[in-house]
Amino acid sequence: SSTTYKMSPSERTQTTAALLALLVVKVAISGRCATTGTTPRVFGDVSVSTEDKKSALSSLRSHPDFPAMPRSMPTILQLVGGANDNYKCPEGLVFVKDSIDPSFYEKEQRKIPKVTHMTSKTRCMTKAFADNVDSWRLEGHSLFLHDDEAVGRLLNRWWPEFPNMHVVKNCMMPGAAIADLWRYVMLWVFGGVY
């Protein structure tokens, strides 16, 4: 017979943090970030030596942006910023707004907040794509669209839990790889559905 082990919320948080930390360490240190032309790539095995850890931390501390990295965690509303107000879309594209359900501001005792996160390079989309996003506006849920600037606002900060985060981000291919890292961090910090 098989037994199902149910994790407590605390154990779930610790497990998620450990998996995210492992991803960061694997990519940043054992991946040995290399540059080919102007596109960073990651390659290598998964073993991590103490010397590699020290080297990665030293590299982070010597990075010119290190002292300027924000230390405090913004709210979701700060991450998406005033994007709803000052976006100018090219002709033929429509602006996609966030939608905030009034329940978003209430302190619910839910394990998974009623928040849907989406990411896109920009908030300007074709009408067909905007209609697809609209299909995810569920009753009783808030929807936040995180463009590249919002993704950067979350990832470009000092993470004491993941001190190699900056190294990892700079070693990853722009686009989907960065979005994958962002997705794990976003859900770890704020919860919700992606």
Side-chain angles (χ1 to χ4, degrees):
S1 94
S2 65
T3 305
T4 302
Y5 175 73
K6 294 190 177 193
M7 288 191 276
S8 71
S10 173
E11 290 172 313
R12 217 174 5 262
T13 298
Q14 291 171 351
T15 302
T16 304
L19 290 172
L20 182 56
L22 181 62
L23 171 70
V24 169
V25 168
K26 179 182 172 191
V27 173
I29 299 169
S30 65
R32 301 255 199 268
C33 180
T35 303
T36 56
T38 58
T39 305
R41 291 187 321 152
V42 175
F43 59 92
D45 60 29
V46 294
S47 61
V48 180
S49 72
T50 302
E51 190 60 36
D52 286 338
K53 290 177 186 177
K54 288 178 183 175
S55 174
L57 190 54
S58 173
S59 169
L60 174 64
R61 288 186 176 137
S62 65
H63 191 279
D65 293 338
F66 181 78
M69 286 181 176
R71 300 310 203 252
S72 62
M73 183 57 61
T75 65
I76 294 174
L77 296 174
Q78 290 168 328
L79 284 176
V80 296
N84 290 335
D85 301 327
N86 41 355
Y87 241 85
K88 302 264 190 277
C89 293
E91 190 174 330
L93 298 179
V94 296
F95 176 76
V96 178
K97 290 185 176 187
D98 298 321
S99 57
I100 303 173
D101 188 82
S103 67
F104 175 76
Y105 297 104
E106 299 168 7
K107 296 287 182 193
E108 291 186 51
Q109 297 300 322
R110 295 183 51 84
K111 291 183 180 181
I112 300 175
K114 290 184 173 184
V115 176
T116 303
H117 302 280
M118 297 182 128
T119 184
S120 176
K121 185 165 193 58
T122 176
R123 288 176 168 271
C124 298
M125 302 178 181
T126 63
K127 172 86 169 88
F129 202 87
D131 289 344
N132 187 34
V133 170
D134 287 343
S135 72
W136 285 93
R137 296 184 195 277
L138 307 172
E139 185 176 334
H141 288 71
S142 298
L143 182 138
F144 293 101
L145 181 67
H146 303 260
D147 61 9
D148 281 357
E149 289 181 24
V151 168
R153 280 191 284 276
L154 180 63
L155 296 180
N156 293 333
R157 57 190 343 88
W158 170 243
W159 289 88
E161 306 90 342
F162 313 111
N164 296 313
M165 179 76 78
H166 194 70
V167 176
V168 167
K169 192 180 85 51
N170 290 333
C171 290
M172 298 178 92
M173 297 288 279
I178 298 287
D180 288 341
L181 179 61
W182 167 84
R183 175 180 21 255
Y184 296 131
V185 173
M186 173 60 65
L187 294 176
W188 181 69
V189 174
F190 296 106
V193 176
Y194 175 80

